[in-house]
Amino acid sequence: MTDSYSSQLDALAQKGNLRKLPEMNPQGLYLMRGGRPMLNLSSNDYLGLADNEALKQEFLQTLDSRDCRFSSTSSRLLTGNYPIYTRLENRLAQLYEAESALVFNSGYHANSGILPAVTDSRSLILADKLVHASIVDGIGLSKARCIRYRHNNYEQLERLVAENAGEYDRIFVVTESIFSMDGDESDLPRLVALKHQYPNLYLYLDEAHAFGVRGRQGLGCAEEQGFIDDIDFLVGTFGKAAASMGAFVICSGEMKQYLVNTMRPLIFTTALPPINLAWTLFIVNKICNMQARREHLARISARVREALNPLNGNILSSSHIIPYVLGESERAMAVALKLQHEGFYLLPVRPPTVPPGTSRLRISLNAECSDADINRLIDSIKKIQSAL
Ligand code: PMP
């Protein structure tokens, strides 16, 4: 390793920002560490389905042998487009009552590929300051000009649209419904009202953290608030509440065809394994009817927010993702260790994932957590907070 690499690693370590791949030993809702079980509050398994034995057994027993393939061995445009892709995309389009759905290998593929495909130098992207790194990378690959507006600052966004609408062929407003690090939400009614004022404005909404969790059928915040038809690019992922892998966009039929012809992370990668797509379809069909799980998750989330939001300054979660903001990375690491000692597997989230000075523990709740688990968590946080 050259000096400059090692000095960069030293600098990260000195600031408490050096990352290491943790060794994992998961058992259901728990992780085993040093022989002790810790409640895993760091995964995105929001509905608690990832290790559900009954679901796994039912899936394996009902699996069509034609879908029992562990690789597609080809891109979708060559020989990788197995029939299960069509079944999954048709089912998604039906659920969203939309023209089309297009499935991708991951949310990272979707977000890094859609914007470069649909924009050009006559386009303007207006993106919330806190959008996920995969969107930031998509913006970086696009030829469009981009302006990042302050997080959830709609006055600034509206001003930027008004100033620029006449200058560009198309404006893309890009945001998330539930933000991955702060757990707060974008104002969909306001975004949709803005879209309806400008014929050349397109809304791009990443529902990665809302899919499965929000809405009557778990389709996300746009379903919950009745705006599915108003979103031009509604992106969801399967690697979180849906306990699978992959992602999708809900869009027009013409747009689907356009993306199939132009989107590099769709064209130039091996398609998902059919067995993975079959599991996703199985889970999507289950999730539609998991209202009781969603309600339990909403109830326990409200309790944890009540305890933590007052400690977090102007970061106000309204979801099942609840940060415990601690400031400097060292402090977040120390509190993470204390909570791990109390039996909660929480990890510090540090710059560059979050802005400097806002290192935090990101609590992502899981519908399998009991009320007793939540009582213990709140008691432990109160105890640690009072000793800080
Ligand atoms: N969008 C958001 C908002 C995310 O938080 C993430 C991952 N954490 C992604 C997209 C990427 O999705 P995937 O993990 O499927 O690549």
Side-chain angles (χ1 to χ4, degrees), residues 215-218 287-296:
R216 193 175 55 81
Q217 300 177 95
I287 279 181
C288 307
N289 299 314
M290 288 189 176
Q291 198 57 22
R293 267 180 200 261
R294 283 189 274 281
E295 282 167 10
H296 176 68

Side-chain angles (χ1 to χ4, degrees), residues 128 149-161 173 175-177 179 185-192 194:
D128 188 285
Y149 60 90
R150 284 189 291 283
H151 177 51
N152 272 345
N153 188 322
Y154 298 97
E155 288 77 22
Q156 189 192 7
L157 174 63
E158 286 159 2
R159 204 175 53 245
L160 286 167
V161 173
V173 174
T175 190
E176 294 175 23
S177 56
F179 284 85
E185 291 171 50
S186 54
D187 185 338
L188 294 188
R190 200 150 170 186
L191 289 167
V192 169
L194 183 62

Side-chain angles (χ1 to χ4, degrees), residues 15-69:
K15 287 192 181 136
N17 289 337
L18 186 69
R19 294 154 187 241
K20 288 191 181 145
L21 294 171
E23 296 295 327
M24 305 293 299
N25 183 5
Q27 288 184 9
L29 192 53
Y30 292 87
L31 285 174
M32 298 306 288
R33 275 298 174 100
R36 289 179 55 226
M38 286 187 202
L39 189 65
N40 181 358
L41 296 176
S42 291
S43 87
N44 297 317
D45 183 16
Y46 303 133
L47 292 176
L49 306 181
D51 207 17
N52 183 309
E53 207 44 49
L55 281 179
K56 284 194 262 185
Q57 288 309 325
E58 188 185 332
F59 169 68
L60 291 172
Q61 275 154 23
T62 55
L63 178 66
D64 183 326
S65 60
R66 283 167 300 182
D67 297 329
C68 191
R69 283 173 177 261

Side-chain angles (χ1 to χ4, degrees), residues 44 105-109 111 132 134-135 176 178 180 206 208-209 237-240 245-247 362:
N44 297 317
N105 288 22
S106 72
Y108 193 91
H109 285 74
N111 284 336
H132 188 256
S134 53
I135 297 178
E176 294 175 23
I178 296 178
S180 55
D206 183 338
H209 297 280
T237 62
F238 299 129
K240 303 182 195 312
M245 182 72 206
R362 174 182 181 270

